[in-house]
Amino acid sequence: AFRHGDDTVAALTQEWTAVIRRDRNHPSVIAWVPINESWGVPLAARMEHRDHTRHRATIEALVSLTRAMDPTRLVSANDGWETIDGDLVGVHDYANDVAAFTRRYETAEAVDRTLRQRRPDGRRITIDGSGAEGRAVILSEFGGLTLAPDAGNLFGYGNTTSVEEFLDRYGELCRALAGCHGLAGWCWTQLTDTYQEANGLLHADRTPKAPIEQLREATLGMRGIA
């Protein structure tokens, strides 16, 4: 499914068209994300590779197709990294570090600098190392905190050992991002645990990991503030 080729491009185009036609009348849809983290287009940023232009063209074609079918919503072309075109630059950052978030996203200048640098894994956030270029920048994935002992051997970017620690660390990150005025928005990953990922605010059965009111206070950055 991750291999680029004529068959996969044709299948993706057909399926994506069906998705838009099915869901475009739902008011809860605020943006379209045709590709995530270069899945299926791993060579889009590899300028030296002979198939680079095909992978890049696939992203651009899906953006144009999406806009043609639904011009009323925003498009994040390749969410996470190596994005091109679109209305949004979606950044995935699981640093779990308040100081890092402040340094990277506190101001528009900090965000622009972050976009032009390479990620720790060597990838670019924008495919050509450009800045926002008029697009809204959102932290579309961050967090990844698990709650032991529920997590077990499941995946998470950081572990907490109690509900109190979970709320404290979640609240610290939310409070830090509330002060990051270079971002247009952010999205905790994720609402519920799912399959191997135990990083939700709720368990897979939709029961909350902490009292709802306390989760609300933490989300608003109010936890621990008298």
Side-chain angles (χ1 to χ4, degrees):
F2 291 96
R3 185 171 298 172
H4 190 281
D6 292 348
D7 290 342
T8 53
V9 170
L12 175 58
T13 303
Q14 183 178 19
E15 291 172 7
W16 186 240
T17 301
V19 166
I20 296 173
R21 293 185 66 183
R22 182 192 66 194
D23 296 339
R24 62 187 172 189
N25 290 324
H26 286 268
S28 59
V29 177
I30 62 172
W32 297 109
V33 183
I35 294 180
N36 178 70
E37 295 182 345
S38 294
W39 294 356
V41 287
L43 303 176
R46 296 272 300 277
M47 311 297 184
E48 76 284 358
H49 198 283
R50 62 186 178 89
D51 286 333
H52 149 70
T53 54
R54 296 185 67 196
H55 289 216
R56 179 169 174 156
T58 302
I59 301 173
E60 294 172 323
L62 287 169
V63 172
S64 295
L65 176 62
T66 304
R67 285 173 168 162
M69 294 191 67
D70 183 3
T72 70
R73 290 186 176 91
L74 303 172
V75 181
S76 180
N78 183 18
D79 206 76
W81 51 69
E82 297 175 350
T83 194
I84 184 174
D85 202 353
D87 309 296
L88 304 173
V89 178
V91 182
H92 297 180
D93 189 339
Y94 289 94
N96 267 304
D97 184 338
V98 168
F101 280 163
T102 300
R103 183 174 64 253
R104 295 170 186 168
Y105 310 114
E106 186 173 25
T107 65
E109 292 76 17
V111 168
D112 190 71
R113 185 167 57 250
T114 298
L115 296 184
R116 295 179 187 279
Q117 295 172 344
R118 290 188 181 271
R119 293 163 43 92
D121 61 9
R123 295 179 183 269
R124 291 188 182 277
I125 296 176
T126 57
I127 205 166
D128 53 2
S130 63
E133 307 298 330
R135 294 168 291 186
V137 180
I138 61 172
L139 190 60
S140 52
E141 287 192 22
F142 83 103
L145 289 178
T146 60
L147 175 60
D150 300 340
N153 295 320
L154 300 179
F155 179 77
Y157 290 91
N159 189 39
T160 59
T161 58
S162 68
V163 170
E164 287 299 307
E165 183 187 4
F166 179 82
L167 285 167
D168 286 343
R169 289 182 60 185
Y170 171 61
E172 287 174 357
L173 292 171
C174 290
R175 186 160 54 248
L177 286 173
C180 288
H181 303 297
L183 293 171
W186 44 268
C187 180
W188 179 266
T189 306
Q190 49 207 357
L191 178 61
T192 71
D193 290 353
T194 179
Y195 295 100
Q196 80 279 6
E197 297 185 359
N199 49 23
L201 298 178
L202 282 65
H203 298 287
D205 64 1
R206 302 315 194 253
T207 57
K209 294 183 178 180
I212 288 294
E213 184 58 33
Q214 293 184 39
L215 284 171
R216 176 182 180 276
E217 289 181 355
T219 302
L220 295 175
M222 297 167 55
R223 181 172 173 78
I225 298 176

